[in-house]
Amino acid sequence: MKKTFAAVATALLMTINANAQTDAEGIRYSLPKTTLRIALLVEKTTFEPGELAGYSMLYMKQEAAKEASTEYNIVGISLSQDAIPDTARCYKLLIDKKHSIINLTQDENGVLLAINDNGKPVAQPEPFVAKPQPKALNPHDFMSQDILSAGSHAKMAQLIAQEIYDIRDSRNQLSRGEADFMPKDGEQLRIMLVNLDTQEKALMQVFEGSTQKDTTEVILSYIPEQQTDRDLLFRFSRHFGVVDADDFSGRPFYISIEDLQTIAPLPASADDGKKSKEDIGLNVTLPGKIRVKIADGNNTVLTSEMYAAQFGRVEMISGTLFGKKVTTHISLHPLTGNIERLDVEPLE
């Protein structure tokens, strides 16, 4: 078994990983720095006034807006993690025939993912997909020939108003069972009522106007470096959506980072007490726990606790775990650099 590992190690030195930076002394790698991914669901509401809005009070006895408008609102905030290489935690792993390291996995940025194991890349959240919007109603599709051929807006408004009142009267008669031609069953009644509702909704648009809503996802990235209180994250305007941090047309959203002074433990099997004699340049992260708060002004809208690599410490892994008698399979968390899996395998 020992000879097999030595032979495989020699053969794979040149092909350990396509992203690895190798030199005569070993393979360079980085540990991750945890970043925050803030996903905002922003709803855009667009209002277009009706072409006959000026006649709404006269014929429908209700005021109607006469100016177009666009408004933005945040309808959801979620928080997840990502990672980038930590330039302050770059190391070189010794690769030689004395140690049974036959496979090293890094991500595309050179962050260490696994030793003698299959590393897992960062799992990306599913992108937001907005629900398909129903086709907008066109009032002209529901107008009679008399309405379409009216000689003035005033006459058109009068005829449309009368049509709307006739539709409402027909619906009331059907609901009470007093219509001249009642449907044969409940399903026919339902279809007739739905059709009347659609006609009224379409024709009312010439007075009330129409409103369209569209939701998009805005992704923000934030790198927590230290404990902080109310750091400006972004600004949000109801007229323009997400705006620059120095654009005072938007209200401020803040982020706070609290260091909880809790560090994840190292697996007992990773420490054999002989680190000083067997330093092969293999390091992992023991991440620290933080509490993240996002506030809309003075109102907290999101709170979450998570581990972040840069709030913990780096721990050296002894080369004796890859010696002549044993080899070790290590898989690291792609976001924090902590050991997720550690299996020690005897070579005899």
Side-chain angles (χ1 to χ4, degrees):
M1 186 67 175
K2 296 179 185 178
K3 293 181 179 180
T4 301
F5 261 97
V8 174
T10 301
L12 294 181
L13 280 177
M14 300 302 295
T15 59
I16 282 183
N17 187 274
N19 298 308
Q21 299 181 30
T22 62
D23 57 29
E25 300 177 7
I27 297 177
R28 298 180 184 276
Y29 67 92
S30 299
L31 292 178
K33 175 180 285 188
T34 308
T35 66
L36 303 181
R37 180 183 184 273
I38 300 100
L40 308 176
L41 290 184
V42 179
E43 183 181 72
K44 177 182 178 182
T45 303
T46 305
F47 171 75
E48 290 292 337
E51 58 184 296
L52 301 177
Y55 297 92
S56 180
M57 177 57 74
L58 177 62
Y59 291 111
M60 305 308 300
K61 308 306 179 185
Q62 62 184 44
E63 287 289 352
K66 300 177 180 62
E67 298 292 334
S69 64
T70 300
E71 183 174 315
Y72 295 85
N73 286 290
I74 295 177
V75 294
I77 299 180
S78 61
L79 180 66
S80 59
Q81 294 174 285
D82 207 340
I84 59 174
D86 192 336
T87 56
R89 294 177 176 180
C90 298
Y91 306 98
K92 186 186 298 181
L93 177 64
L94 176 65
I95 301 293
D96 58 23
K97 296 180 181 180
K98 297 179 181 180
H99 298 91
S100 54
I101 297 176
I102 63 172
N103 183 43
L104 181 144
T105 305
Q106 294 171 279
D107 70 8
E108 59 184 8
N109 297 314
V111 174
L112 183 64
L113 297 177
I115 302 290
N116 295 337
D117 205 348
N118 296 318
K120 297 185 299 183
V122 176
Q124 297 297 329
E126 290 292 329
F128 171 76
V129 178
K131 294 181 179 179
Q133 297 292 322
K135 184 178 179 180
L137 297 174
N138 183 355
H140 290 264
D141 293 340
F142 297 86
M143 294 181 184
S144 66
Q145 186 60 42
D146 289 341
I147 295 174
L148 292 172
S149 60
S152 66
H153 282 171
K155 184 62 175 179
M156 178 179 285
Q158 179 184 8
L159 293 175
I160 291 175
Q162 185 58 54
E163 184 73 12
I164 291 172
Y165 288 125
D166 288 345
I167 290 172
R168 292 177 179 177
D169 185 57
S170 297
R171 184 170 54 228
N172 287 335
Q173 290 183 14
L174 283 171
S175 300
R176 297 169 183 169
E178 299 174 354
D180 294 336
F181 301 98
M182 288 298 297
K184 296 180 180 180
D185 54 39
E187 180 61 17
Q188 285 188 350
L189 175 61
R190 186 192 68 80
I191 293 174
M192 292 178 68
L193 291 175
V194 168
N195 288 336
L196 290 172
D197 289 342
T198 301
Q199 293 175 45
E200 180 182 352
K201 182 178 179 181
L203 293 175
M204 281 297 295
Q205 287 184 9
V206 301
F207 298 114
E208 295 178 335
S210 60
T211 300
Q212 296 292 326
K213 292 187 176 184
D214 183 36
T215 303
T216 58
E217 185 179 48
V218 178
I219 303 298
L220 305 175
S221 182
Y222 181 86
I223 304 176
E225 298 286 359
Q226 59 187 0
Q227 184 164 281
T228 184
D229 184 38
R230 292 178 65 80
D231 189 15
L232 182 61
L233 183 61
F234 67 95
R235 288 182 180 272
F236 188 84
S237 166
R238 60 187 293 263
H239 299 294
F240 307 108
V242 178
V243 296
D244 294 336
D246 58 356
D247 187 340
F248 290 92
S249 68
R251 68 182 189 270
F253 279 71
Y254 300 101
I255 187 168
S256 300
I257 307 295
E258 180 183 356
D259 187 349
L260 298 180
Q261 304 293 326
T262 301
I263 295 181
L266 184 71
S269 55
D271 186 358
D272 67 352
K274 300 179 181 179
K275 298 175 188 175
S276 60
K277 297 181 181 180
E278 286 288 346
D279 182 4
I280 60 172
L282 178 56
N283 297 281
V284 299
T285 304
L286 302 186
K289 181 174 282 190
I290 60 174
R291 179 179 292 121
V292 181
K293 290 184 180 180
I294 296 177
D296 177 359
N298 293 321
N299 300 317
T300 299
V301 295
L302 186 149
T303 301
S304 181
E305 292 184 6
M306 63 191 66
Y307 281 101
Q310 57 270 36
F311 284 82
R313 70 172 190 268
V314 175
E315 190 77 14
M316 187 182 71
I317 302 300
S318 174
T320 57
L321 293 174
F322 304 91
K324 296 180 179 180
K325 296 183 179 181
V326 297
T327 191
T328 303
H329 306 276
I330 297 178
S331 179
L332 304 181
H333 195 291
L335 298 174
T336 64
N338 192 24
I339 294 179
E340 278 197 317
R341 174 177 177 262
L342 189 148
D343 292 330
V344 180
E345 176 186 351
L347 295 181
E348 292 182 342

